[in-house]
Amino acid sequence: MNARRQWGWPPAFVPAPSPATLARGAWQLDPERSTVSFAVPFWWGLGTVTGRFRQYAGRLELGARPAIELTIDAASVDTGSERRDRHLRSEEFFAVACDPYIRFVSRTVQLQAERLAVVGELIARGSRIEVEIDATVIARDGEYALEAETFVMHSGLGMTWNPGQISRPWSKLSVSGRLVQVPVAPEQPRAAAPSRRLARACRDTSRYDARRC
């Protein structure tokens, strides 16, 4: 789970041949039929620790900015071992006492037939790294079946606990499940810009009450 980078926002959705309903609608992960999971090679690659998060919310709306968002409750981690889960919640890993959420926010999304190529930021522990995600979205009965995965250097998020170098510094993150359609959020009206005369009055605080602005 690399160094922080700064960029301007490009278009959230790069047009390409795509199913019109997915391109125009708003969709969210169905928590009853989806999983958000991870796998980390352990014991010098001889074994793998796997786990999942029980609480999360994911949304896809290709006409919005950002087009894809995923928010995970880090405290809901479940690896089948309560002792290991307590360690993962600690300062050495997810540090849930300081920052309870893990977030992914897309920068660009390209849709080609049933495949999505996504670039965005993974944010945790107050740090962020760039990740690339490959996904498939297949139409099924008015919904979409989603399969997505990426490999991330979690050490770039400050998760560097690794005595004896017994584990790898990277993880495989996976999202699998169903996208169900939800209402598109209405666009908020923009406030009218102040007139030049009022703008000049607002800058002259010695003559005008700031509450007028």
Side-chain angles (χ1 to χ4, degrees):
M1 283 189 185
N2 316 9
R4 302 186 184 187
R5 298 176 56 185
Q6 305 242 342
W7 45 67
W9 283 99
F13 173 47
V14 179
S18 60
T21 52
L22 183 66
R24 297 175 185 172
W27 306 82
Q28 69 180 17
L29 277 175
D30 182 351
E32 300 297 325
R33 296 180 293 164
S34 304
T35 58
V36 177
S37 59
F38 60 90
V40 184
F42 207 66
W43 293 117
W44 302 279
L46 299 177
T48 302
V49 173
T50 61
R52 61 174 179 161
F53 297 97
R54 294 188 175 274
Q55 301 293 328
Y56 54 85
R59 184 178 178 91
L60 181 152
E61 186 178 347
L62 296 182
R65 182 179 298 175
I68 298 174
E69 291 184 276
L70 176 65
T71 301
I72 300 168
D73 180 354
S76 70
V77 64
D78 180 6
T79 64
S81 167
E82 182 54 38
R83 180 179 178 182
R84 182 191 294 127
D85 294 346
R86 286 197 302 269
H87 191 195
L88 290 175
R89 296 183 189 109
S90 74
E91 184 64 28
E92 290 176 334
F93 287 95
F94 298 130
V96 298
C98 299
D99 189 349
Y101 299 109
I102 302 168
R103 295 188 64 227
F104 172 79
V105 181
S106 68
R107 289 197 291 115
T108 61
V109 180
Q110 290 183 307
L111 178 61
Q112 294 280 359
E114 296 178 341
R115 300 192 65 84
L116 283 172
V118 185
V119 178
E121 287 185 297
L122 186 66
I123 306 162
R125 295 170 47 94
S127 299
R128 59 186 65 205
I129 57 175
E130 180 181 294
V131 296
E132 298 180 3
I133 300 174
D134 292 319
T136 59
V137 281
I138 301 174
R140 290 181 180 169
D141 302 323
E143 304 174 343
Y144 283 88
L146 170 70
E147 296 288 339
E149 69 175 33
T150 185
F151 291 85
V152 303
M153 296 294 290
H154 56 253
S155 57
L157 293 169
M159 303 180 195
T160 57
W161 183 88
N162 192 10
Q165 303 298 308
I166 61 175
S167 67
R168 298 291 190 262
W170 53 267
S171 310
K172 182 175 79 169
L173 306 182
S174 304
V175 179
S176 175
R178 289 297 185 102
L179 291 169
V180 295
Q181 193 164 16
V182 295
V184 176
E187 185 175 348
Q188 296 298 321
R190 295 184 179 181
S195 66
R196 292 183 179 179
R197 179 179 299 176
L198 181 57
R200 287 196 299 269
C202 289
R203 289 195 294 268
D204 190 353
T205 57
S206 65
R207 295 176 54 193
Y208 292 90
D209 186 342
R211 288 176 294 180
R212 295 177 53 190
C213 304

